[in-house]
Amino acid sequence: MTQTRRMQVLHAVVEDYIRTQEPVGSAALIARHHLQVSSATIRKDMAALEEEGYLVQPHTSAGRVPTERGYRYFVDTLATVVPLSEAQRRAMHTFLDDSVNLQDTLQRAAHLLSNLTGQVAVVASPSLGKSRLWHLELVSVSDTSILAVVVTDTGRVAQHVLTVQELPSREHLQRLCDAVNERCGSLTLRTAASRIRALHLGDGMDDVRTLPELVAHAFEAMADEERTHELFMSGVSTLAHQRATAQDLAPLFDALEERAVLMHLMTELSETPDSRGVGVAIGSETNTPGLIHAAVVTSGYGASEADGGQTDAGKAEAAAVAPIAFVGSIGPTHMNYAVTMASVRAVARYLTTFLDHTGTTETSMAS
């Protein structure tokens, strides 16, 4: 008996259980996987895998089912993630290309991913903290209020009200906007804030002297926002049709309501992907009680590069930066990992390309 064959048996058990959600016996393995050994040998291998914590036998006379450790080994040893078929890719592009704006694209991406996997899909909007300034507009809305409208390179639009004691002239507001857009365009909001504070506005601009500090503070506030409500989710209703007990589903529904927890978990996974470009957490690895019987597959999309003012060392460090947002799928631990990983990765790559195109278009418009 070799360790290699034993792990082949484990892979076969996981594959069969994912397909049937029924305990897997030795006879079924031999019939489906042509293992070229006797049923007694397979039973011996399965018993050893049970002792090692990879399988469990729910009943004395039943076959085995994978444990969390068994799923983890299976996921880690998947040789490759098979890409979507050409027909699937065409269908994905056809569906997503019809979107009218970023929010519509993200909502469609969540719907598409849910359809591809049959699970809950979660898509986060690009983080303001990692996005870059494309355009600032300052609009007077009252005698003491100015609305700062910030458009980022990812298409996100954020607003912040600035309270002033005296309203500057429209001409001076425009001169400040022009200065910010010229000198801070393509910088992250936090870096732009530092540069705005150092702006020299020239003579005759006394009525806007206090505005750079207010604008810089607004940029920093936007960068700090968690924006947990900017999560696009689809497929929650499909959970009701999963082959799971109410005892398992209730905490999972509760976990889906905790958007801040999901945001933290999936952001962390997307920032530490494996060599296949995805992050996978199974059961207790999620550190979330409601997901103890679930698995999460996540991939980041977009890219945040070094600001122009950074040193070469800083740029090198930022070359491997975290993505600006994530795409993820949540399902039972017996999910089809190969399909889910391929689908999550494909949607993430589409969104990265979409944002690249959006940024290129906006830069062209700005020119």
Side-chain angles (χ1 to χ4, degrees):
M1 179 179 64
T2 66
Q3 183 71 9
T4 299
R5 189 191 66 228
R6 184 182 299 170
M7 300 334 274
Q8 288 175 342
V9 170
L10 174 59
H11 262 263
V13 172
V14 176
E15 288 174 359
D16 282 5
Y17 188 73
I18 286 173
R19 184 172 61 253
T20 68
Q21 285 94 69
E22 297 288 347
V24 180
S26 57
L29 287 183
I30 292 175
R32 292 172 184 157
H33 298 275
H34 309 291
L35 296 172
Q36 305 299 318
V37 291
S38 68
S39 183
T41 299
I42 297 298
R43 284 195 297 272
K44 188 175 181 180
D45 285 349
M46 294 173 76
L49 289 167
E50 185 175 0
E51 289 180 5
E52 294 168 359
Y54 293 103
L55 300 176
V56 66
Q57 190 173 29
H59 307 291
T60 305
S61 59
R64 267 79 168 185
V65 301
T67 63
E68 184 180 302
R69 187 182 183 190
Y71 286 122
R72 170 48 61 190
Y73 180 87
F74 177 81
V75 169
D76 289 345
T77 53
L78 279 174
T80 58
V81 176
V82 179
L84 299 184
S85 68
E86 183 61 32
Q88 288 175 317
R89 286 198 299 273
R90 282 198 304 270
M92 180 179 73
H93 282 268
T94 298
F95 180 68
L96 295 179
D97 287 349
D98 285 339
S99 60
V100 297
N101 54 34
L102 175 63
Q103 284 68 30
D104 187 32
T105 299
L106 299 181
Q107 186 60 69
R108 284 169 174 260
H111 183 69
L112 173 68
L113 182 58
S114 176
N115 285 343
L116 287 171
T117 63
Q119 297 159 181
V120 177
V122 181
V123 179
S125 59
S127 164
L128 279 174
K130 297 172 184 175
S131 300
R132 295 171 179 278
L133 175 66
W134 175 61
H135 186 76
L136 168 69
E137 194 70 35
L138 297 174
V139 182
S140 302
V141 293
S142 75
D143 290 341
T144 58
S145 300
I146 298 172
L147 181 65
V149 181
V150 172
V151 183
T152 72
D153 61 339
T154 61
R156 283 284 298 275
V157 178
Q159 301 178 354
H160 198 96
V161 176
L162 312 178
T163 302
V164 296
Q165 292 185 345
E166 182 181 352
L167 195 65
S169 69
R170 181 179 299 179
E171 177 187 355
H172 287 177
L173 275 182
Q174 189 59 52
R175 285 176 63 181
L176 176 58
C177 285
D178 292 343
V180 171
N181 290 327
E182 178 183 350
R183 303 176 196 179
C184 302
S186 79
L187 298 179
T188 62
L189 297 186
R190 192 170 299 282
T191 302
S194 298
R195 190 165 292 187
I196 290 169
R197 287 192 173 97
L199 284 176
H200 298 291
L201 299 177
D203 297 332
M205 298 279 287
D206 291 342
D207 59 344
V208 293
R209 292 294 175 190
T210 61
L211 268 183
E213 177 59 35
L214 294 177
V215 173
H217 179 74
F219 275 32
E220 290 171 339
M222 293 175 188
D224 288 338
E225 279 189 341
E226 282 293 332
R227 301 302 295 265
T228 56
H229 60 286
E230 290 290 343
L231 285 179
F232 299 86
M233 192 175 293
S234 182
V236 176
S237 62
T238 61
L239 289 178
H241 303 291
Q242 294 286 344
R243 296 183 59 178
T245 65
Q247 185 177 5
D248 292 339
L249 288 179
L252 178 52
F253 280 121
D254 290 341
L256 293 175
E257 291 296 320
E258 296 292 334
R259 297 202 165 196
V261 174
L262 287 180
M263 176 78 78
H264 176 75
L265 168 63
M266 301 181 91
T267 297
E268 191 175 68
L269 279 175
S270 70
E271 292 177 350
T272 54
D274 60 23
S275 60
R276 297 161 296 190
V278 295
V280 182
I282 304 170
S284 64
E285 297 172 355
T286 65
N287 295 312
T288 306
L291 299 178
I292 194 66
H293 298 295
V296 178
V297 178
T298 306
S299 183
Y301 71 88
S304 176
E305 299 173 355
D307 283 332
Q310 285 188 301
T311 64
D312 289 341
K315 292 178 181 179
E317 181 179 353
V321 293
I324 61 174
F326 63 79
V327 174
S329 184
I330 303 173
T333 52
H334 60 260
M335 69 165 61
N336 188 323
Y337 289 95
V339 168
T340 302
M341 293 163 71
S343 300
V344 166
R345 190 177 65 177
V347 173
R349 288 178 172 177
Y350 176 92
L351 292 177
T352 296
T353 302
F354 174 83
L355 291 183
D356 285 345
H357 175 71
T358 300
T360 301
T361 302
E362 289 171 345
T363 299
S364 175
M365 290 172 61
S367 300

